[in-house]
Amino acid sequence: MYKYQSVKKLQNHLLMIKFNKILFQPGELVIDNVLHCGQAFRWVFHEDLRQYSASLNVGGKYRIVVVKQGKDNCIEYGTLDTIEEDVLRSFVESYFRLEVPLLDLFAKDWALRDSRLKSKAPLGVRILAQDPWETLVSFICSSNNNISRITKMCHALSSNYGDKLGVYNGVEHCSFPSSAQLLERASESELRTLGFGYRAKYIMGTAQKMQELAKGMLSDTPLLENWKKTLNYEQIRENFMGFPGVGPKVADCVCLSGMRLDHVVPVDVHIARIAQRDYRFVSRKRDLFQLQDMYKDMPITRRKINYELDSIRIMFKELWGDYAGWIQGIVFAQEIGKTLGATQEGTISKRKLEIEVKVEEKVGTEVVAMEIKRRITESVQS
DNA sequence: AAACAACCTTCCCA
DNA sequence: ATGGGAAGGTTGT
């Protein structure tokens, strides 16, 4: 009897969350695809509610945010927190970069620049505006690693070393730890016992380096945001590669998904394969010399860069333009397919799901949607 | 500058 | 069932 009541109470509590909507064109944003394409690792999927929840840095403070895909071309968002409605709304808009017109850019710019894209659909895949410090640490975890374990590691960081924020639908949410909190609460050996492997040293080293850079002043996200005000992309990347465990790929991921540098194309093994297989990329001596000259005053970049991969990045930047990183996100998602997510029990299961196709309205016929789906399945298998 | 082994752990697949 | 290989790389030689 009591049990039943408490369950009832819990459900009522859930219902008390007020969801608000943000409307957009059909296909502008497909949450399932965006949150599973390997740029965000701490969203929890609630299968029963068809909702996602996470703790996110909203204006300098981590808060629980809940989102779900609405029925008619919209996202619904809510929170347990006491945030003013317009603050949360503008946060969600900027987190999903809704000011960027994905479909327009795709049709009127990207597909014209690159005829290979004409046969593809953006599938609502967007680049997020994530917290820079969390993005930096998350992608340090990503090196030579699979998404399943990266997800576990990011959750382990917040639940072990972050601040408790509250429970949503049975899932406890914690903030992502600051560099100071990591230094205070974590250690390399403990991280190793938590399964971080050799990345344990990188994470503690990066937290340490961040504290040194801050010199007691601004640190973490505010410090990294300041880089954007005074430095160009190459300088920002040079700075990021000053952290241990951060090479060109990780630095570029943080630039794109944490610093909103939309033209940056992180070149991993898959993008390199696509460049050679689909775009007939061959490195040219002249380009490599040019790059060496460009980086002559950047010692860290010179030490860590792979010139061949960097010239792939530049090829795509020149082909795809100011939003090259967004196109990379779309191409990558189609190459890899959707992989996994966290369920409400906290268990993370590998499940090779097809990318959901929700572009029927836009494209028109179901035949086209089927064709896209078939192509994705093909690319996942290969 | 470029190539290559080593690196932690987990998951997948033969 | 059991073992090699890969996973959105980085580091040191």
Side-chain angles (χ1 to χ4, degrees), chain A residues 26-27 356-370 372-373:
Chain A
E356 284 190 27
V357 179
K358 296 190 178 174
V359 292
E360 290 90 343
E361 303 99 319
K362 187 73 183 174
V363 180
T365 68
E366 205 171 343
V367 180
V368 177
M370 291 291 288
I372 294 169
K373 208 159 188 171

Side-chain angles (χ1 to χ4, degrees), chain A residues 7-179:
Chain A
V7 167
K8 190 91 173 174
K9 220 172 187 176
L10 236 143
Q11 286 173 339
N12 284 338
H13 184 55
L14 271 179
L15 292 176
M16 280 170 62
I17 289 195
K18 185 169 168 246
F19 282 93
N20 287 289
K21 294 184 180 182
I22 300 175
L23 300 171
F24 41 71
Q25 295 294 112
E28 277 290 333
L29 164 63
V30 177
I31 295 180
D32 288 326
N33 293 348
V34 172
L35 298 186
H36 291 296
C37 68
Q39 53 175 325
F41 301 102
R42 242 156 38 71
W43 283 96
V44 175
F45 181 57
H46 302 261
E47 204 132 27
D48 49 345
L49 303 171
R50 302 297 301 169
Q51 296 174 4
Y52 293 88
S53 66
S55 75
L56 300 175
N57 186 344
V58 184
K61 188 171 178 291
Y62 270 89
R63 303 169 189 274
I64 299 174
V65 178
V66 184
V67 298
K68 64 175 172 178
Q69 188 92 37
K71 286 215 184 330
D72 25 47
N73 316 322
C74 73
I75 181 174
E76 298 183 29
Y77 62 93
T79 183
L80 296 169
D81 212 315
T82 55
I83 322 175
E84 291 185 25
E85 153 60 14
D86 55 332
V87 175
L88 181 61
R89 185 187 190 83
S90 53
F91 170 80
V92 172
E93 285 173 345
S94 70
Y95 180 82
F96 288 102
R97 302 291 307 277
L98 292 177
E99 84 281 7
V100 177
L102 181 74
L103 294 171
D104 259 19
L105 286 170
F106 189 89
K108 295 176 184 168
D109 184 15
W110 304 345
L112 305 181
R113 289 171 163 276
D114 178 358
S115 59
R116 296 194 67 86
L117 296 175
K118 284 179 191 159
S119 60
K120 296 185 190 295
L123 299 173
V125 173
R126 315 176 66 85
I127 299 299
L128 299 167
Q130 303 195 85
D131 175 71
W133 167 250
E134 174 170 350
T135 308
L136 173 61
V137 178
S138 299
F139 277 98
I140 287 173
C141 297
S142 79
S143 71
N144 192 28
N145 205 351
N146 56 62
I147 294 182
S148 168
R149 182 149 78 117
I150 301 166
T151 302
K152 281 178 184 164
M153 289 160 74
C154 292
H155 277 106
L157 285 173
S158 70
S159 63
N160 284 288
Y161 307 116
D163 296 322
K164 291 187 174 160
L165 298 177
V167 175
Y168 180 69
N169 195 31
V171 177
E172 174 156 76
H173 288 280
C174 304
S175 65
F176 193 83
S178 65
S179 58

